[in-house]
Amino acid sequence: MEPENQYSQRIARARAVMHVYGLDYLLIGPSADLLYIVGAHVRPSERMTLLILPQEGPAHIVLPAFEAASLPALPPDAQMTTWDETANPARIAATLIASGSGSQPGGAQLTLGVADRLWSVFLLRLQAELPRASFTTATTALAALRQIKSGVEIDSLLASGAAADAVFDEIAQRPFVGRSELDVAQEIASMLKAKELEVEGLPIVASGPNSASPHHHSGRRTIQAGDVVVLDFGGTYQGYYSDITRTVFVGSAPQAGSEELHV
């Protein structure tokens, strides 16, 4: 399936779900939901970027003008509306929303479903511009839309998981003794990126006593023979995550009856 077709079909499915949940509009900020529906990967910032998806008519992405060049080609069902530094993006968005129902922002009586990742500062400004609109969560509607994966999505998940598994197979064959947790974590991150995964932050490498902490920050501790080391890492491939946790023993395996094997 061509990507353009894929996103057009997702918009059509989103509109069907909106009808079921009684939503006149979906409001979606930078998030996995935005990437899913129109293929746009936008990082959240203090400048408002917002997808406005109505039950009928074209969708709009409202975003800062200087970020327009980085936006990928949109499906035919979506249009781009930019704003400059002196503009009020909430007012622009409210005008687009109200015009779809043939009204002014102050009189628009609509039900707007808000995605989880829209910052409250933007939501509050939209509520001020649309005082007669009803704002509700879009969580259930978006979950219904996204929980059953397409073949394209399943392929991306499989590729992401296979890349992480391959990195574990490689790192498990390399020496750990005498290296810091941070050094091993940086090597794992580099290996993940080499396999085309996007990585945010550093993997968890928790050695010795640190292995008891499930959210340890990889640090300067030197890994020693006999340590238990917990590795927790993954990345995203085309927006789809892998996340694996593996425990290794450095040097010889624990003896039979040991506490490590019991755990």
Side-chain angles (χ1 to χ4, degrees):
M1 179 191 300
E2 292 296 323
E4 185 177 284
N5 262 347
Q6 171 180 283
Y7 296 119
S8 291
Q9 289 190 14
R10 289 177 180 176
I11 287 174
R13 288 180 55 226
R15 286 177 164 148
V17 169
M18 290 165 64
H19 179 74
V20 170
Y21 287 91
L23 302 177
D24 297 309
Y25 282 83
L26 277 178
L27 305 180
I28 301 174
S31 60
D33 293 322
L34 182 65
L35 179 64
Y36 175 83
I37 292 180
V38 294
H41 181 63
V42 181
R43 294 191 179 278
S45 77
E46 72 281 5
R47 294 178 175 86
M48 190 180 80
T49 294
L50 181 69
L51 172 66
I52 302 168
L53 178 61
Q55 268 206 40
E56 296 182 4
H60 291 267
I61 293 186
V62 178
L63 80 165
F66 72 89
E67 292 184 357
S70 63
L71 204 67
L74 296 174
D77 319 65
Q79 301 174 5
M80 180 169 55
T81 300
T82 61
W83 58 274
D84 61 32
E85 292 296 316
T86 61
N88 180 342
R91 185 159 299 162
I92 292 170
T95 300
L96 288 168
I97 292 167
S99 65
S101 61
S103 63
Q104 296 298 314
Q109 299 184 45
L110 300 163
T111 301
L112 311 177
V114 182
D116 287 350
R117 299 294 294 275
L118 183 64
W119 285 7
S120 59
V121 63
F122 303 137
L123 176 57
L124 290 169
R125 291 171 184 170
L126 287 165
Q127 288 176 321
E129 296 288 341
L130 296 160
R132 302 189 69 183
S134 174
F135 291 80
T136 186
T137 178
T139 301
T140 305
L142 287 169
L145 177 66
R146 296 187 54 197
Q147 65 187 352
I148 298 177
K149 305 303 183 189
S150 68
V152 171
E153 292 179 283
I154 291 169
D155 287 345
S156 294
L157 285 164
L158 288 170
S160 185
D165 286 339
V167 167
F168 172 72
D169 290 341
E170 292 177 29
I171 198 69
Q173 303 304 315
R174 301 192 180 186
F176 278 47
V177 175
R179 301 175 64 187
S180 70
E181 294 173 343
L182 190 59
D183 182 39
V184 175
Q186 289 170 335
E187 183 176 20
I188 292 173
S190 178
M191 294 164 71
L192 290 168
K193 291 174 184 176
K195 294 189 181 299
E196 300 183 6
L197 294 187
E198 292 185 25
V199 180
E200 292 187 10
L202 278 180
I204 294 174
V205 177
S207 64
N210 294 334
S211 65
S213 173
H215 302 294
H216 175 67
H217 292 281
S218 305
R220 300 288 179 184
R221 184 183 184 276
T222 300
I223 300 172
Q224 304 167 24
D227 276 350
V228 174
V229 182
V230 175
L231 308 172
D232 186 344
F233 60 86
T236 60
Y237 177 74
Q238 297 181 350
Y240 289 82
Y241 284 82
S242 54
D243 185 1
I244 66 173
T245 305
R246 303 287 185 266
T247 301
V248 298
F249 300 105
V250 180
S252 301
Q255 294 183 350
S258 68
E259 181 65 11
E260 288 88 350
L261 286 183
H262 172 70
V263 170

